[in-house]
Structure formats: structure tokens, C-alpha cells
Amino acid sequence: MHAIGIDIGGTKIAGAIVDQLGNIVASDRVPTPAGDATLLEDAVVQMIESLRARATEEIVAIGVAAAGFVDAAQSTVYYAPNIDWRNEPFREKLEARVGTAVVVDNDANAAGWAEFRFGAGRLVSDMVMLTIGTGVGGAIVAGDRLFRGGFGAGAELGHLRVVPDGLACGCGQRGCIEQYGSGRALLRMANEIADAGGIGQGLARARAEHGELDGRLVGEFIAAGDAGAVAALRQLGHWLGQAAASLSAVLDPQRFVFGGGVSVAGELLLEPIRSAYLEHLPARGYHPEPDFVIAELVNDAGVVGAADLARVWVDEHAGVPRR
């Protein structure tokens, strides 16, 4: 039972044929024509047809993952920040063109589901994933089911508020964890440490040499053990640990999984997260402690999760007409 997974990003569209064990059988990648919704739809259709031509087994379903709010029926994209989609009936449009069952889901949901099924979330029933990239994405699995909320737009964990009247966020509110626990936040913290001198001298020299600090540079400094860069990462981890403690009070997961570009820091990121989590955990000492782990599927999580969510939909709705 093979399915196709499509992951629509701001700069690229990734696609793959995925088997029932989460293995990628064939894959493809093209640039995202983000400024034109019609061209984007055409690009997705062309990728599906190209992958289907390479399939050795029947394609039972197609899953599409994209950043944005998707309705609970896995059909309509309410809003996508990087694509000109507003109440876009993307499932209906794709099904009319490719003739196969399609489901649409949020990209963080797809990545989280992939980790739950085939990656770092295996063998637990309740898991929270936080994706630490330019922003902060989230996914929740509760009782072996992906949580979407009543309208489909749940698990936007990056907009959990951690600082009342804190830094302004792109969502229109202030103090969201996205402003304190994301890749952009790490760059801000690294620049502040560079400005202060002392342990930030290495970062300051690199900034003067390159004109600015970017994620690659800070990542290299972290990997080299630079005191200033590691201090910035510890600040980031502290905020993420606080957020995890609040999420535990509501969701009580057995495992927290951290993905995204910043997660390559591994234990250097997890250690301050665990420390801050325990510091802020309600009823500490009387509450079972979850695992904190790094995601395993990395860049493949979106396509693998999208494909598997489509396969799950077909399994659960066999013979049930679309509404």
C-alpha cells in the first residue's frame, strides 16, 4: 500500500512515494512558485504524475503538507503564510485533477505524525513535537491520535504565550514562545551576547568579518563549543523548557520530540530544556517525567507523515463518501 506525500515549503516542494513502513521508494523536488497559486497547483499535479509514473504498486492516496491553518476535514487551507491561499479548497481541486483520494494537513502535523509512527516517537501513545526552525511549529499526538482541534487549527504551539506583554509576534500577539525559542530568537540572543563583549567576543568578531550573524555561523560556533554561542543556546533551551512544563500540565505527554534546524545541537539543546522543564514543572517529584529526544527523520518527516496520514484516512474511511 504505497502513498504519495507532498511537502510544500516556502522555497521548495518535496514529494515521495512512501510504503506502509515509512520507507521512501522514490522522491522528487522542485522550486515552489509561491507567488502564484495556480502555478503551485500545477507544480504539485506534475510532481504527483511524475511520481505515479515511477510507482511499482498502486498509489492508494496522496497526502499534502503545507504551513498554515487547515480545516478539521483535511481539505481546505484557511490561511497559508507563504502561499497565496485564503480558504483554498485544495483537496477538492487536486482530486479533480489526479483522480485519487487526497488529504491536506499542516506541515508540522505531518512531521510530528511521521516521528510518532516511524521515528523518535515510536512506542509511546502520547507525544508532543516542537520544530525549532525560523519559527516554532508543533504537533500533538494524544492516545495514538493526531490532535487537530475542533476547527483543525490546533497544536499551534509556537504561539503559546510565555511572556505577558513580551516581544511582538507575527501572529499579532506578544510574548509567544516563537519569539524566544526559535532560530530567529537564537540569532537575536547571539547578537545580544556579541554586543556585551566577554564570552561574546568570538561572535562579535565573526559578525564584523561577515557583516552579520546567520544560523550557519552560530551553528558552527555552537558545534565548536564557543562559550557565547552555547550561552545563547542555553537561553533558548530555558524558554523551551518552560513551555514544555506548561504543555505537560495540559497534555501529560510521555515524550517531547524536538526537530528543525536548531535540533542538530542535540544534547546541548536538550540539557537546558530538561533543566528548565523540571524547574517549572507543577508538582515536581510527584509527576512522572517524560523523555526529551531529538527528531530522527529530519528532512523526510514532512513527506513521510503526509503520505501516512493519507493512508490512514483511506483505511478509516473505506467506502465512506466524501462530504
Side-chain angles (χ1 to χ4, degrees):
M1 291 182 63
H2 288 182
I4 289 176
I6 305 290
D7 186 7
I8 302 174
T11 60
K12 70 178 185 302
I13 302 172
I17 300 173
V18 182
D19 71 16
Q20 62 267 35
L21 298 179
N23 299 309
I24 291 179
V25 177
S27 62
D28 198 0
R29 181 175 297 191
V30 298
T32 303
D36 189 313
T38 300
L39 289 179
L40 188 145
E41 182 185 322
D42 290 342
V44 171
V45 170
Q46 289 168 14
M47 179 174 283
I48 290 169
E49 297 300 350
S50 173
L51 288 168
R52 191 149 51 185
R54 297 158 63 187
T56 58
E57 296 189 20
E58 180 188 2
I59 300 298
V60 298
I62 296 162
V64 178
F69 296 153
V70 182
D71 70 353
Q74 298 171 275
S75 176
T76 299
V77 183
Y78 293 135
Y79 168 80
N82 302 316
I83 304 168
D84 187 22
W85 281 346
R86 302 296 183 268
N87 293 312
E88 176 75 10
F90 199 59
R91 184 188 74 190
E92 180 181 340
K93 287 185 175 181
L94 272 191
E95 286 186 341
R97 296 184 64 178
V98 302
T100 303
V102 174
V103 298
V104 182
D105 222 314
N106 172 269
D107 59 344
N109 279 348
W113 183 253
E115 291 293 339
F116 171 71
R117 289 271 285 144
F118 308 111
R122 295 187 304 273
L123 306 180
V124 299
S125 62
D126 291 71
M127 181 201 88
V128 171
M129 181 168 170
L130 289 163
T131 305
I132 316 304
T134 304
V136 175
I140 297 167
V141 177
D144 295 315
R145 305 285 294 186
L146 186 64
F147 173 83
R148 294 187 180 85
F151 299 103
E156 287 291 330
L157 303 185
H159 301 293
L160 177 70
R161 197 174 181 206
V162 292
V163 181
D165 299 319
L167 295 170
C169 183
C171 73
Q173 299 302 313
R174 305 184 73 90
C176 297
I177 188 61
E178 184 159 293
Q179 301 307 310
Y180 298 87
S182 63
R184 281 179 298 198
L186 180 64
L187 286 178
R188 186 186 72 247
M189 294 165 183
N191 275 295
E192 290 170 353
I193 290 172
D195 291 341
I199 62 171
Q201 291 181 27
L203 290 170
R205 285 194 296 269
R207 185 174 61 186
E209 179 182 349
H210 294 275
E212 64 178 1
L213 292 174
D214 59 20
R216 180 188 60 81
L217 276 173
V218 174
E220 289 175 355
F221 271 74
I222 290 170
D226 176 80
V230 171
L233 185 69
R234 291 190 66 83
Q235 287 184 36
L236 186 91
H238 177 80
W239 287 111
L240 289 169
Q242 283 196 51
S246 294
L247 290 166
S248 266
V250 179
L251 300 169
D252 192 28
Q254 299 153 301
R255 184 167 296 167
F256 281 93
V257 178
F258 294 88
V262 178
S263 71
V264 298
E267 187 59 30
L268 286 174
L269 174 66
L270 293 182
E271 190 279 324
I273 290 175
R274 289 193 197 98
S275 178
Y277 173 87
L278 292 174
E279 181 183 345
H280 294 88
L281 178 65
R284 179 182 178 182
Y286 301 94
H287 187 291
E289 297 173 11
D291 300 326
F292 292 82
V293 301
I294 297 298
E296 296 178 3
L297 299 180
V298 197
N299 295 328
D300 293 334
V303 294
V304 171
D308 199 63
L309 285 169
R311 186 183 296 105
V312 168
W313 192 96
V314 169
D315 288 344
E316 293 182 349
H317 296 81
V320 178
R322 292 282 200 188
R323 288 191 300 171

